[in-house]
Amino acid sequence: MRKNVVAGNWKMNTTLEEGVELANQINSLLKGKTVNCDVVVCVPFTHLTSVNAVLESELVKLGAENCSEHEKGAYTGEVSAAMVKSTGATHVILGHSERRQYFGENNEQLLAKTKLALANGLTPIFCVGEVLEERENGTYNDVVKCQVEALFDLSAEDFGKIIIAYEPVWAIGTGKTATAEQAQDMHAHIRKVIEDKYGKEVAEDTSILYGGSCKPGNAPELFAKPDVDGGLIGGAALEAESFLGIIEAC
Ligand code: PEP
């Protein structure tokens, strides 16, 4: 059975002190609550160890926002999957549209990152999504299919360990959310693409999250759709109460 997941993506926000405080608040708000999803906070590399120290892992899991496509060695400034794992993190966001757009990450690199994340016992939250032009010219299903297919070198067993996040780029940080119907249609499409390659069981077991201006107000409608298994949350994850509101919508 696939899991519901709500994951926060802090991006390049919060100083270390602010991040630890936010993690503390999220942890405290979740204490004693029964929630219907796994909760993950994905934080800057610099924050991983300190945030891990304040989170109770049965309440909130920890993730990074990226990792290197190289195993180790002379790659100044890079952070490997093994390093991320050694902080106590369990998850890593890969292929976020900001990485694809601003840092030119391509399918080949993303496959290498995904393989290393899996080899190090991390759960990749693998992001896909079309830009506005592709939504408007009607190529969005093909675009997202190609992004998912970039992982088809993985075995069914490994693919089954991945979380997919559908994040229409035009909805990220813009306040413009996909309608629940648009999200459901794309999630069902992604599940079919997975089924055609790996079979029904893997497809049914894959958690597919929606991301893009998700807030406590629109989360219930989005999460009510049968193929939407939670959310990847940017802006609204930077405030403990609003993040909790989204978790409670799950
Ligand atoms: C994101 O960047 O992953 C995201 C979903 O951002 P926001 O919620 O701010 O649109």
Side-chain angles (χ1 to χ4, degrees):
M1 267 295 282
R2 61 185 185 254
K3 281 186 184 164
N4 291 328
V5 180
V6 172
N9 172 15
W10 291 5
K11 310 195 186 191
M12 199 173 71
N13 291 299
T14 73
T15 61
L16 180 57
E17 201 181 18
E18 290 163 351
V20 169
E21 173 58 22
L22 176 58
N24 245 322
Q25 287 171 6
I26 293 166
N27 199 78
S28 305
L29 285 175
L30 283 169
K31 256 189 204 156
K33 285 218 158 56
T34 309
V35 296
N36 185 29
C37 60
D38 280 356
V39 178
V40 188
V41 290
C42 298
V43 308
F45 291 133
T46 47
H47 296 23
L48 284 166
T49 305
S50 308
V51 166
N52 188 47
V54 301
L55 293 179
E56 289 166 70
S57 59
E58 66 282 6
L59 297 179
V60 191
K61 298 182 192 336
L62 177 67
E65 300 173 15
N66 184 27
C67 71
S68 174
E69 74 257 38
H70 304 290
E71 196 181 337
K72 63 176 177 177
Y75 300 101
T76 302
E78 285 289 274
V79 176
S80 72
M83 291 170 182
V84 169
K85 179 70 181 178
S86 71
T87 66
T90 50
H91 290 66
V92 59
I93 296 174
L94 294 175
H96 191 279
S97 62
E98 289 150 16
R99 301 291 320 170
R100 294 176 189 261
Q101 189 181 344
Y102 305 139
F103 303 95
E105 292 191 2
N106 59 39
N107 286 345
E108 207 178 309
Q109 288 169 303
L110 293 175
L111 176 62
K113 287 178 186 227
T114 304
K115 286 182 174 173
L116 280 171
L118 288 168
N120 284 282
L122 293 167
T123 300
I125 302 175
F126 189 83
C127 303
V128 297
E130 79 284 359
V131 299
L132 184 61
E133 192 190 344
E134 293 157 344
R135 171 60 55 176
E136 287 176 348
N137 68 20
T139 57
Y140 50 93
N141 278 336
D142 290 340
V143 167
V144 171
K145 181 171 187 264
C146 284
Q147 292 171 337
V148 175
E149 283 174 349
L151 297 181
F152 280 3
D153 196 40
L154 298 177
S155 65
E157 192 190 343
D158 275 348
F159 194 93
K161 295 175 185 159
I162 288 170
I163 296 170
I164 301 281
Y166 168 57
E167 300 205 303
V169 181
W170 47 271
I172 295 179
T174 58
K176 199 173 167 188
T177 319
T179 64
E181 287 67 33
Q182 284 171 325
Q184 168 57 26
D185 287 351
M186 180 58 86
H187 285 223
H189 169 65
I190 293 170
R191 210 176 291 288
K192 180 76 174 66
V193 169
I194 298 169
E195 183 183 332
D196 288 347
K197 168 72 179 174
Y198 292 111
K200 201 163 182 65
E201 201 179 323
V202 173
E204 282 301 319
D205 286 353
T206 302
S207 299
I208 307 177
L209 317 185
Y210 168 79
S213 298
C214 188
K215 305 203 163 38
N218 56 28
E221 202 189 343
L222 286 157
F223 295 172
K225 293 292 178 192
D227 286 297
V228 179
D229 308 312
L232 179 58
I233 317 300
L238 290 171
E239 213 264 299
E241 291 283 353
S242 64
F243 191 50
L244 184 75
I246 295 171
I247 292 163
E248 286 179 331
C250 215

